[in-house]
Amino acid sequence: MRTFHIWRYRILSALKIGALSCAVGVCSGAVCAVFGRGLLLINNFRDAHQIFLIPLLPLLGLCIVFVYDKWGGGAEEGMNLVFAAEFDDGRTIPFRMVPLSVGATWLGHVGGASVGREGVACQIGAVIGYTVGKLVKNKRLAQTFIIAGMAGGFAGLFRTPFAAVCFALEVMIAGRLFYYALLPAIIAAGSASAVSGLLGLTHEYFPLPDVGEAAFTLPFVAKLTALALLFCAAGQLFAHLLKYCHERFQVWLPNKYKRIFILGAVLSALLLVVHKGRYAGLSFSITDAVFEGGNVFMYDWILKLLFTVVCLSAGFQGGELTPLFIIGSAFGYVAAPLFGLPPLLGAALGHGAVFGSATNTLLAPIAITGAVFGFQYMPLFAFVCAVAFYCNGNHSIYRLQRAATRW
């Protein structure tokens, strides 16, 4: 009889956790679908009216700072607040983070701020997961639902549930997986991806053409290793510059209103002058040029990197991962031919490896590269992402990310 009650309790608990995880995923997917589709519309509209909208960037920046200053309540910390809440240092995640992060990112993209979107999606999911977690009044489950929510947000925006689960499980502590959150994360990511798909978000897919025989011969491995080290350096350049500029701008321009207005004015002028908005917003033109045929400049990756770093350091809200994907793809496209490798293969490898190096993650970049470009070259993706990850010195764009011992 005692055994029966134990199993009954376990089954009911599992069903409860599964239902709550599904609720987290459904809500995250719905909100991310609205956010993602709105962002796509904004970017398309801005690209059609750049001459009028990009000059508004400094004024839109003032609006963003004012709103966060008046109603933010700490929500402007973004992903750092999510990390703090997960590590239980007494921090809470206010629900106002959802509308504030969505609205601020939309405003920034109206003016062409060179920022991403996945940071907001992860924040959306984390807030929803945290809110659900408070209902169960169990500390461990509350932390579990934060991770599940991040997986739901990532999957809801990109519609890559496997990569979303990997990212949520490994990003908090690099080199360690939160296995206790595996099943809730899978349920949340799957349901979020399904819901956002029903609401119109599509999954990016650029299948690689046949790039020839990819046998792991010694010369071929040497080429891949050299390319991976370059990708690692690019990811670390992004991470270190982001930290440096964030600190320096606060010293040089301590008033956040002046900081975002002055830097926004400089950015808006440069965005218009340098290839007429090519590096603004989500930079669809670079992605199209790389994967659908077009002019790819050898300096595209570094200019996109610099614009993104300055925008985020100035105070504009958004994410880092989408710019990292673009930086890696553009860099790989021009770097691969130097080693006798096909440009599109280099673009695919850079897409994941630069992201992995900058975020100090391994499984997520491998998974998302496979999901976006096809799984036939997974051994190559895994090798290059692994080299970039293990050579990055445990540095990350996330200030509060912790690192486990690797060796």
Side-chain angles (χ1 to χ4, degrees), residues 1 5 25 41 75 98-99 183 236 261 283 302 305 312 327 332 397:
M1 183 61 69
H5 287 299
L41 291 173
V98 173
L183 187 57
Q236 287 305 288
F261 183 82
S283 298
I302 190 65
L305 185 152
L312 291 171
I327 292 164
I397 57 175

Side-chain angles (χ1 to χ4, degrees), residues 15-214:
L15 291 174
K16 176 183 176 182
I17 292 172
L20 291 175
S21 300
C22 186
V24 169
V26 169
C27 294
S28 299
V31 177
C32 286
V34 173
F35 167 65
R37 294 196 67 180
L39 201 57
L40 294 175
L41 291 173
I42 287 170
N43 273 264
N44 290 332
F45 181 75
R46 187 205 59 250
D47 287 345
H49 304 87
Q50 294 187 71
I51 194 68
F52 303 107
L53 295 178
I54 290 181
L56 298 178
L57 186 60
L59 297 178
L60 294 171
L62 288 177
C63 293
I64 292 170
V65 172
F66 174 77
V67 170
Y68 271 105
D69 208 24
K70 191 171 182 62
W71 295 290
E76 66 276 7
E77 294 183 53
M79 285 298 295
N80 285 321
L81 186 56
V82 174
F83 277 79
E86 176 63 28
F87 293 137
D88 191 32
D89 68 347
R91 303 296 297 276
T92 60
I93 309 178
F95 193 82
R96 66 174 71 94
M97 179 183 281
V98 173
L100 288 177
S101 60
V102 169
T105 304
W106 279 349
L107 279 178
H109 277 267
V110 168
S114 184
V115 294
R117 48 188 171 168
E118 82 303 318
V120 177
C122 287
Q123 290 172 49
I124 291 170
V127 170
I128 293 172
Y130 177 80
T131 304
V132 170
K134 287 195 300 183
L135 300 177
V136 299
K137 298 180 180 179
N138 182 298
K139 174 182 169 183
R140 183 64 171 266
L141 281 179
Q143 293 173 319
T144 298
F145 285 130
I146 290 177
I147 296 174
M150 289 178 61
F154 194 109
L157 184 65
F158 289 114
R159 302 208 56 229
T160 53
F162 179 55
V165 171
C166 293
F167 182 75
L169 293 183
E170 68 177 332
V171 72
M172 292 289 179
I173 302 180
R176 181 180 300 170
L177 296 177
F178 287 81
Y179 286 113
Y180 64 81
L182 177 60
L183 187 57
I186 290 174
I187 295 172
S191 55
S193 179
V195 168
S196 64
L198 290 173
L199 294 177
L201 276 189
T202 57
H203 160 49
E204 289 185 345
Y205 184 53
F206 302 102
L208 289 179
D210 184 11
V211 295
E213 184 64 31

Side-chain angles (χ1 to χ4, degrees), residues 25 329 336 406:
S329 296
R406 292 182 181 172

